[in-house]
Amino acid sequence: MIEGIITKGVGGFYYVRTLDSTIKSRARGVFREDNLTPLVGDRVKVRISPEDNTGYIVEIAPRKSQLLRPPVANITQAIIVISIKKPEANLWLLDKFLLMAEYEGLDILICLNKSDLDMDKAEEYKDIYIKAGYDVIITSAKEGLGIDDLKNRLLNNISVFAGPSGAGKSSLLNKINLGFNLETGDVSTKTKRGKHTTRHVELLKFYDNAYVLDSPGFSSLDLSFIEDEREVRSYFREIHKYGEECKFLTCLHDKEPNCAIKSYLEDGIIHKTRYENYLSLMNEVKNIRRY
Ligand SMILES: Nc1nc2c(ncn2[C@@H]2O[C@H](COP(=O)(O)OP(=O)(O)O)[C@@H](O)[C@H]2O)c(=O)[nH]1
Ligand SMILES: [Mg+2]
Ligand SMILES: [Zn+2]
């Protein structure tokens, strides 16, 4: 039996990448009985049928994680890419992507791209998010800055690249591996094209045991999977951390008395924008219509 990882599923076939080849495989019926459908990212065992030389997936290893959108198993980390300029960094959007990655329990790396356009801003944002408790790297896909750091972070991981369209995700991936040859371009030309191209989920191998997802992570920014707005507290790292000092466990760090978050805010330990985005995202979750 051969071990590998499913990198793509098309037309009832699963493409299983092994150390040295890709095996086009079918799933055995036994998974259907268990209500288990193989997913991209699944680590599987394959048996080659001597009759038709195709592979049969005979075993799926227990999943470490499972993303819904895109549907991929065993993702270990999210690389959240945001551009400093063109388009201008939108920290509210960044915080929303962070919220989703925290909800999924992924390791997170923030990648501040297009630093060639404004290094001072990049440093300023880096400080904000380092202080919030995140790993941050400053990159420029154009000038090749930070690419080695990014590569190192990808080793021994299955990574999903998330972030707004035009931030430079595909450009960064192309820098990491020329062979990927992913389509890049400005936002306007892509949205036109985007309507006509069907997206499929595919894992790209960049090194032994290093895979990246080429379709955009968290493609829907709908937060309705969060059932209770109070959960948002635990998805903002620094608010979760300092919030433990609040007088009341139920404190939402909004208008309650003796809220520790307020004093950290005044001291500048918690950044004002992060706090505002926390309140606004909590509000967004609260106002989602649930049927
Ligand atoms: N100046 C500059 N432009 C970049 C950089 N990275 C990407 N771009 C440009 O930004 C546009 C969008 O990049 P793309 O990789 O398609 O973004 P994606 O939508 O996140 O995959 C393209 O025109 C790229 O050439 C960078 O580091 N600096
Ligand atoms: Mg892209
Ligand atoms: Zn509080």
Side-chain angles (χ1 to χ4, degrees):
M1 246 170 338
I2 307 165
E3 287 181 38
I5 184 164
I6 300 177
T7 55
K8 185 166 71 164
V10 181
F13 284 101
Y14 298 94
Y15 293 78
V16 179
R17 186 85 187 239
T18 68
L19 270 183
D20 48 16
S21 66
T22 301
I23 305 170
K24 193 173 171 181
S25 309
R26 295 178 190 278
R28 271 194 349 180
V30 61
F31 301 122
R32 258 162 264 155
E33 283 157 34
D34 294 345
N35 244 337
L36 192 64
T37 313
L39 280 180
V40 168
D42 267 329
R43 295 184 186 276
V44 296
K45 285 186 181 159
V46 173
R47 178 175 290 139
I48 308 284
S49 153
E51 286 136 46
D52 57 4
N53 244 349
T54 52
Y56 285 86
I57 297 172
V58 290
E59 203 178 312
I60 302 177
R63 289 173 186 150
K64 290 189 184 129
S65 69
Q66 187 175 334
L67 283 193
L68 239 59
R69 264 171 304 192
V72 186
N74 297 323
I75 291 275
T76 56
Q77 70 176 350
I79 312 289
I80 302 182
V81 182
I82 200 114
S83 56
I84 297 300
K85 284 230 151 78
K86 289 188 185 174
E88 190 115 354
N90 176 337
L91 298 191
W92 181 82
L93 207 52
L94 173 56
D95 286 336
K96 194 165 184 177
F97 278 108
L98 286 170
L99 174 69
M100 299 175 112
E102 291 284 7
Y103 173 86
E104 297 289 354
L106 302 172
D107 283 348
I108 297 169
L109 174 67
I110 297 172
C111 195
L112 300 170
N113 192 40
K114 306 200 190 182
S115 60
D116 54 285
L117 299 177
D118 191 340
M119 187 50 101
D120 290 343
K121 261 269 167 307
E123 294 284 1
E124 183 191 325
Y125 292 154
K126 182 176 175 179
D127 284 348
I128 297 177
Y129 285 89
I130 293 275
K131 230 161 54 180
Y134 287 98
D135 289 340
V136 184
I137 57 171
I138 291 178
T139 61
S140 165
K142 191 177 173 195
E143 296 184 343
L145 181 80
I147 302 301
D148 284 339
D149 286 342
L150 183 55
K151 269 188 188 174
N152 283 330
R153 273 294 292 243
L154 299 179
L155 297 178
N156 300 314
N157 275 297
I158 302 181
S159 310
V160 56
F161 277 63
S165 181
K169 298 179 291 298
S170 303
S171 302
L172 286 168
L173 282 167
N174 284 341
K175 274 279 168 182
I176 284 161
N177 187 334
L178 290 172
F180 287 165
N181 201 13
L182 300 172
E183 186 187 357
T184 64
D186 63 66
V187 181
S188 55
T189 54
K190 267 195 303 197
T191 41
K192 272 184 229 148
R193 239 181 271 141
K195 278 176 192 152
H196 305 288
T197 42
T198 38
R199 283 230 153 89
H200 66 269
V201 178
E202 181 171 5
L203 281 183
L204 300 170
K205 185 173 182 175
F206 124 80
Y207 201 72
D208 290 342
N209 213 22
Y211 289 86
V212 294
L213 197 65
D214 83 331
S215 69
F218 313 123
S219 35
S220 156
L221 286 172
D222 166 22
L223 293 180
S224 57
F225 53 86
I226 301 176
E227 290 182 353
D228 186 326
E229 73 269 14
R230 286 173 294 187
E231 274 177 60
V232 172
R233 283 180 299 185
S234 45
Y235 304 137
F236 272 72
R237 281 193 188 174
E238 72 280 48
I239 287 178
H240 178 70
K241 179 173 157 199
Y242 296 117
E244 290 182 345
E245 296 169 27
C246 290
K247 183 157 187 208
F248 302 105
L249 262 177
T250 52
C251 190
L252 292 175
H253 324 308
D254 188 4
K255 299 195 169 65
E256 296 91 339
N258 295 319
C259 171
I261 297 297
K262 299 303 156 42
S263 56
Y264 284 108
L265 198 56
E266 269 161 37
D267 297 345
I269 291 170
I270 291 177
H271 198 272
K272 195 167 165 277
T273 312
R274 283 278 293 171
Y275 177 68
E276 285 166 357
N277 290 344
Y278 157 73
L279 287 182
S280 114
L281 286 168
M282 188 166 61
N283 229 9
E284 181 173 327
V285 171
K286 190 174 161 183
N287 293 326
I288 291 168
R289 278 165 184 256
R290 296 168 204 280
Y291 297 97

